[in-house]
């Protein structure tokens, strides 16, 4: 058997054996795609396993993450630090081989966490875009230091998901010719044949998006190789290769059946399959030495290019060297907080407007900052002035236009962050965070520095009414692990919010902003601005307070107004502004208790769901919030009707305290 | 001017005047689409304004809900109970004319709440399907009592959203020839021209989905009329009419500009526009009497059909009459709870398996129950056995195959509920509730009886790992107003959960089920099963308890096990099973306090986010949960590692109580 074929068989049976040993997993797809996977890794992908984060490596994305053993097998053969022993612990506690590929686990060579369908292919669009955007800023005509390609394996499930439609439309629009997607057209889903629900002409759909579409027999190596070559050669459009495959190919009774999708083949079927393939029954996890050969040849052949690349980068000079450093290290000046604060004009305004001005300054200081909006740039005010637009074939700009495609925006932002050269942001109204929630969750899971800028953050957006008025979104975002949610109350807090987001490398941050104008907060003389970075801090105080009012964003000034009224009635009241509760909860408990004047009684004011805040207020506290849908009316009327004025808040707090 | 043209102008200037008066809203799209709207209402749509919920009326869906004034103007002219005075209070507190159309407000003639883009067109697919499914069961060859059509106006934003791609693919697959979508191809979005982000060939894309596609000049009435006729005549495919229009047509400086999209035209521009159109400047909100004429003619012409329909339905006999009643009233037997309970086999099993068996019984008793899964029917176990499949041109079945398209599933389920003939359900893994969250929210806002069945409800799904393991989903669903989240702990609670979902007319219900097998709960002799319907109830008790443990689903048996250990250590412990906290919170406070033995200290156990439960436990309580992402391993190992065994729970509770 030729080394290439040995490698293919090895990938197939490593996958089968691992699923069998775990007694869980998906054997059929790795079997079907092994040939295409080996073809990509040994003849098309540019990578260096000893430097798995080489910035100019081609990206390989397994969008159908359930076929994870395919990826793990390929990475093992390719020489990444992923031992056979790890493969033998597929899906086990603490292994580097979880059920779905996770880049957060630092499995070397895994580019992005996939499994929730549609996300991987959408990340891939983001990687392809990242390559173009970084390249446009860093390359010269005769020295390209960033020009990588992205290869994707995607399933029918990926292509049915709406997020993939959104991302594919964007990819076609932008003419991302460095993107090659192989569609595993196996006619089988968990519930049966795809024909029970998926009869569209996928190729024609992608042509409509502006893609270059080819169809091949996925088990004919020559056809696959030719199509991949043609895709790589295509210089105008992203490529879709529709590869007709047979799930669990070679399994005598389970080939082409849903039975091979999500369950082990079973001992008898494994034996029969190995016999039919002329593969030894034992040992399991067999890797003939020749199987490594084509991978070794590939990486050796790529070594000169890699060495040359390193030399080129080491030799960069002047402005280009500085930009390389700024992007590749995602540089943020050490004094970013102080600088943004100094540039802040603290007057009454909507926090979306404050944020916008601060963002301009941030964009000057942080070349890696780039992003865009889902058709709400004018409303959320997130355009980088003078930053230039990204458009079809035009990638030197820093402003992206995602169209009305929030979910793809989330996945693309995540990939821009994973690419290592950007601190990317995506913006829309807070209500539409629901449209992109799975992508936000993955940002949390992958710990990417993705920024999400959301305005129109409460019922106080007014006339657009309940379909557009967030109520539960602030709290439901706070529930996502690793996501920091920052809701600033004035210009100063906006400056703190932006520096928090820019400096925080270990996860995504959401900035949550008002549509309506709110007052600038008064702060005591001698106020230390650094306190704003604690997530929650004392804004106005009384000695030995009876009551601590905790508030966020547009409700902080209501707390201050209510405090004045309460003080006149003889109550001693502290007001705590809490722009980022997650940051506050990371402080030592003693520090938290000091800010909250524990055991003083607590009130919380936020124009949204009360549930999470009840845990802060305690059973003997009060939460003033909104647990029902909004209403269509001018915001002042809504505030009056639902008790969100200083006087009405004071009234409720007096009743609560007992007058 | 002809009456038709008068009507068109009236719609245009009612919209312009209302936006001007509200000083907020979207004038440009109603101006552009007025002609198409009048054409549909006066020559194609079948409806009776005096009976706005006539079951066989054609549905009109304004998917681009921001153009709400178009709909309100048409409804007014058509004779629905929507007065000029309501139009004058556009977007004001308490009016029937909110910023986006809301069916929950019972604005007569508004079929579904639209505004979040993509939802309306996806609802429309559901309406078209509902017509086909109800018709297939109720019609005979010579007596069709349900065979309505669905007309949709959709914007570029609708067609960019992933949910619309999913739903359109389903519509093509199912050959929903009673669906007619007019795409308002105006080349303008909020951020500028659509060409900055949307260059795909929309018509070709819809052809790929299997649609009949026509292109027209949207301002050429003859072309529009011919295309609508051809669409209605098409007997195999859903129809897309790409109508090239000009936003704010006739506005001298704002036509074809983003400025006309989301802001009033302004006094000068309004005057100039009216002058150019030969329309009086005053009075505003002018409706010439002739403008009503074409609508009156239309409804008069339709009256005989309407009367005949009523006669036919009144004359139904036998089985067909019974089925009519069962579907049109969405009948649920009064004793459904007792019947399901009696049919329940209370043994150790996964709650998804219990639920599945109970669902079979429910399907026998409730003919209106119909639904399907997003390619996880085999895993969530929601197929109605013997219910028959819905497929292309085959609509008599009760089992739907949504494909891997969760978001469209949500919107289609909502429309099936709105259609009035179904208690519909959609099923997938709990983690993928994130993919369909905007549709779930709209179910809450519209108060539809949509059922969402979610299995694999915690990290205990095991090997699939963190991408598939819900952590924050239970809590984030509970945050959605009007949504009841029910997480049963054994077969009996599954029976209570299903009867809750079937009997609850005032909003959506989510059933949340385990993948893994859990024990049947022991209950004291004399236990009153009706207590399970309270949402939370005492499962095991001690006199004057020191501690009340509240638990849900798969953690209830851990609470019982921990209780036995604690009792041996001399602690008095009550265990409360809390399958539906929202239902419990609707009980009188005294009743809640009795169940919780207030002021006993509280512990909560749930394998998910702790945030919401902290408000229940109080500051001196404890919540045992999971606030980080999951892990890929067999579930027993995860339980051991993270303290979810009876012994480990007891240990933590002893430490908490102080031993």
């Amino acid at each position: 058997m030729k080394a290439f074929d040995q490698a293919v068989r090895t990938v197939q049976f490593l996958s089968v054996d691992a699923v069998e040993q775990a007694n869980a997993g998906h054997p059929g797809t790795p079997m079907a795609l092994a040939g295409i996977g080996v073809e990509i890794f040994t003849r098309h992908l540019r990578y260096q396993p000893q430097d798995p984060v080489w910035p100019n490596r081609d990206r390989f994305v397994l969008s159908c993450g359930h076929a994870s053993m395919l990826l793990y097998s390929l990475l093992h053969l390719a020489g990444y630090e992923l031992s056979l022993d790890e493969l033998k612990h597929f899906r086990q506690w603490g292994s580097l081989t979880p059920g779905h590929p996770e880049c957060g686990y630092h499995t070397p060579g895994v580019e992005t966490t996939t499994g929730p369908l549609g996300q991987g292919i959408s990340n891939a669009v983001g990687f392809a875009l990242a390559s173009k955007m970084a390249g446009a800023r860093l390359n010269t005509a005769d020295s390209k230091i960033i020009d990588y390609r992205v290869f994707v394996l995607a399933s029918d499930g990926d292509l049915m998901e709406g997020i993939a439609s959104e991302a594919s439309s964007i990819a076609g629009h932008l003419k991302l010719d460095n993107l090659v997607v192989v569609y595993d057209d196996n006619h089988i889903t968990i519930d049966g044949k795809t024909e029970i629900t998926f009869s569209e002409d996928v190729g024609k759909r992608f042509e409509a998006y502006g893609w270059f579409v080819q169809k091949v027999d996925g088990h004919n190596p020559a056809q696959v190789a030719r199509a991949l070559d043609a895709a790589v050669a295509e210089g105008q459009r992203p490529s879709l290769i529709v590869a007709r495959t047979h799930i669990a190919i070679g399994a005598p009774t389970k080939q082409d059946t849903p039975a091979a999708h999500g369950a082990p083949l079973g001992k008898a079927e494994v034996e029969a399959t190995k016999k039919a393939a002329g593969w030894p029954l034992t040992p399991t996890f067999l890797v003939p030495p020749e199987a490594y050969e084509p991978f070794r040849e590939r990486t050796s052949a790529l070594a000169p290019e890699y060495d040359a690349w390193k030399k080129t980068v080491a030799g960069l000079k002047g402005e280009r060297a500085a930009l390389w450093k700024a992007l590749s290290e995602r540089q943020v000046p050490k004094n970013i907080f102080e600088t943004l604060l100094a540039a802040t004009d603290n007057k009454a305004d909507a926090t979306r407007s404050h944020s916008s001005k601060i963002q301009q300054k941030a964009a000057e200081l942080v070349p890696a900052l780039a992003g865009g909006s889902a058709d709400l740039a004018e409303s959320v005010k997130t355009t980088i002035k003078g930053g230039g637009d990204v458009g079809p074939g035009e990638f030197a700009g820093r402003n992206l236009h995602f169209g009305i495609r929030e979910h793809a925006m989330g996945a693309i932002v995540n990939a821009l962050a994973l690419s290592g050269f950007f601190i990317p942001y995506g913006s829309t109204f807070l209500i539409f965070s629901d449209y992109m929630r799975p992508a936000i969750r993955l940002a949390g899971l992958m710990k990417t520095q993705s920024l999400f800028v959301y305005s129109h953050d409460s019922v106080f957006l007014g006339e657009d009414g309940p379909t557009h008025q967030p109520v539960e979104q602030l709290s439901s975002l706070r529930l996502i692990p690793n996501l920091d949610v920052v809701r600033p109350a004035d210009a100063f807090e906006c400056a703190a919010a932006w520096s928090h987001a820019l400096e925080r490398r270990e996860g995504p941050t959401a900035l949550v902003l008002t549509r309506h104008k709110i007052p600038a907060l008064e702060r005591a003389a001698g106020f230390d601005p650094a306190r704003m970075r604690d997530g929650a801090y004392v804004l106005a105080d009384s000695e030995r307070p009876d009551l601590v009012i905790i508030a966020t964003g547009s409700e902080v000034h209501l707390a201050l107004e209510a405090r004045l009224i309460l003080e006149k009635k003889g109550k001693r009241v502290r007001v705590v502004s809490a722009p980022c509760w997650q940051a506050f909860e990371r402080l030592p408990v003693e520090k938290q208790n000091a800010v909250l004047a524990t055991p003083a009684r607590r009130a919380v004011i936020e124009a949204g769901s009360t549930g999470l805040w009840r845990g802060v207020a305690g059973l003997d506290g009060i939460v003033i919030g909104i647990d029902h849908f909004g209403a269509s009316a001018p915001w002042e009327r809504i505030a009056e009707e639902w008790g969100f004025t200083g006087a009405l808040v004071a009234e409720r707090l007096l009743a609560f305290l007992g007058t």
Side-chain angles (χ1 to χ4, degrees), chain A residues 49-190:
Chain A
Q50 84 282 9
D51 183 2
V53 295
W54 174 30
N56 201 35
R57 72 194 179 279
D58 286 347
R59 267 63 170 182
F60 176 80
V61 175
L62 184 73
S63 193
C64 45
H66 54 269
S68 55
M69 268 310 303
L70 170 68
L71 178 55
Y72 301 145
S73 305
L74 288 167
L75 292 175
H76 171 76
L77 291 180
Y80 286 87
E81 274 199 37
L82 191 65
S83 67
L84 266 187
D85 196 55
E86 289 290 349
L87 268 56
K88 290 176 185 169
H89 288 85
F90 180 50
R91 292 180 157 235
Q92 301 309 304
W93 183 267
S95 79
L96 290 180
T97 51
H100 294 82
E102 291 172 46
C103 65
Y105 273 49
H106 302 295
T107 312
V110 172
E111 300 288 0
T112 179
T113 296
T114 54
L117 292 169
Q119 300 287 338
I121 183 173
S122 306
N123 289 155
V125 172
F127 282 129
L129 182 58
S131 173
K132 293 287 188 186
M133 286 173 65
R137 291 167 74 179
L138 289 166
N139 297 340
T140 62
D142 51 2
S143 157
K144 297 199 172 171
I145 49 180
I146 294 293
D147 66 342
Y148 55 85
R149 294 191 190 94
V150 186
F151 293 88
V152 185
L153 298 186
S155 64
D156 44 69
D158 286 304
L159 300 193
M160 280 191 252
E161 289 287 2
I163 182 176
S165 297
E166 294 176 8
S168 302
S169 177
I170 294 174
H173 173 75
L174 292 176
K175 303 187 187 298
L176 297 175
D177 58 15
N178 57 338
L179 175 63
V180 180
V181 176
V182 179
Y183 162 37
D184 173 27
D185 184 19
N186 65 18
H187 296 209
I188 294 293
T189 66
I190 295 176

Side-chain angles (χ1 to χ4, degrees), chain A residues 178-225:
Chain A
N178 57 338
L179 175 63
V180 180
V181 176
V182 179
Y183 162 37
D184 173 27
D185 184 19
N186 65 18
H187 296 209
I188 294 293
T189 66
I190 295 176
D191 279 354
K193 296 196 184 297
T194 50
E195 69 191 29
I196 65 172
T197 186
F198 193 47
S199 53
E200 63 174 61
D201 183 339
V202 173
K204 184 170 178 179
R205 169 154 70 98
F206 275 75
E207 282 175 1
Y209 294 140
W211 289 48
F212 170 44
V213 176
Q214 305 175 79
K215 295 192 184 188
V216 299
D217 171 353
H219 301 298
N220 181 324
Q223 279 190 29
V224 170

Side-chain angles (χ1 to χ4, degrees), chain A residues 222-295:
Chain A
Q223 279 190 29
V224 170
R226 267 199 307 275
L228 284 165
D229 283 338
V232 165
E234 161 66 36
Q236 280 291 320
R237 298 170 289 177
S239 276
L240 181 76
I241 299 171
V242 180
R244 177 69 174 103
T245 64
H246 297 276
I247 196 167
I249 189 163
T253 73
K254 294 195 172 173
Q255 176 180 324
D256 292 317
T257 71
H261 180 87
L265 295 180
K267 193 158 178 267
E269 184 85 359
V270 171
E271 284 188 12
T273 310
K274 286 185 176 175
K275 267 185 198 154
W279 198 255
L281 297 188
T282 55
T284 54
F285 295 95
L286 172 67
V287 184
E290 315 86 69
Y292 294 106
E293 273 172 30
F295 294 86

Side-chain angles (χ1 to χ4, degrees), chain A residues 434-493:
Chain A
D434 278 359
Y435 270 76
M436 53 192 293
R437 194 168 167 85
I440 305 171
R441 182 178 211 257
L442 282 167
L445 181 55
M446 298 190 288
K447 302 184 180 172
T448 57
Q449 190 177 9
S450 306
L451 310 192
F452 304 113
V453 186
Y454 297 123
S455 73
H456 293 56
D457 73 346
S458 75
V459 296
F460 302 133
L461 65 87
E463 291 90 343
D464 271 343
T467 56
H468 285 55
Q469 290 173 352
V471 171
E472 73 278 22
Q473 281 66 26
L474 260 170
S475 288
S476 65
L477 287 175
R478 289 186 184 117
L479 288 168
I480 297 177
N482 300 349
L483 175 70
D484 271 10
V485 178
V486 190
R487 187 175 188 233
D490 71 352
F492 286 157
E493 287 195 10

